[in-house]
Amino acid sequence: MKHSRLRFILMPVLVTALMACSSKGTYEAIQNGQKNDCQKYYGDEYDKCIEPYSKPYEDYERDRDALLE
């Protein structure tokens, strides 16, 4: 009985944590893909290309949450 109660309490916490990791992983994978596309440029063109894809996930998440409020 104790184990099922503990599982019931911990399951939502674990699911939420996994979803957060998944979202961050997806964001970073997309960012890295975009950065790879910038490899065809050199110098200033490369810097301009890569700049929009250098925002850390935490900044993106904060900006997204602010827009959704």
Side-chain angles (χ1 to χ4, degrees), residues 43-58:
D44 289 340
E45 287 184 16
Y46 173 79
D47 293 339
K48 289 177 187 175
C49 180
I50 204 167
E51 185 179 349
Y53 309 114
S54 299
K55 181 187 278 193
Y57 178 76
E58 291 74 17

Side-chain angles (χ1 to χ4, degrees), residues 16-28 31 54-69:
T16 302
L18 288 173
M19 286 175 57
C21 291
S22 177
S23 296
K24 183 176 182 177
T26 300
Y27 175 82
E28 290 175 351
Q31 293 292 83
S54 299
K55 181 187 278 193
Y57 178 76
E58 291 74 17
D59 293 349
Y60 158 77
E61 188 175 40
R62 186 179 50 248
D63 293 348
R64 184 197 66 203
D65 290 345
L67 287 173
L68 294 176
E69 290 179 351

Side-chain angles (χ1 to χ4, degrees), residues 1-42:
M1 189 63 122
K2 264 186 168 177
H3 292 291
S4 63
R5 177 184 269 178
L6 183 60
R7 190 180 316 170
F8 180 75
I9 293 170
L10 289 179
M11 190 58 71
V13 173
L14 292 173
V15 168
T16 302
L18 288 173
M19 286 175 57
C21 291
S22 177
S23 296
K24 183 176 182 177
T26 300
Y27 175 82
E28 290 175 351
I30 291 170
Q31 293 292 83
N32 287 333
Q34 296 294 335
K35 288 177 183 179
N36 285 339
D37 288 344
C38 294
Q39 295 294 323
K40 60 187 171 190
Y41 300 112
Y42 298 97

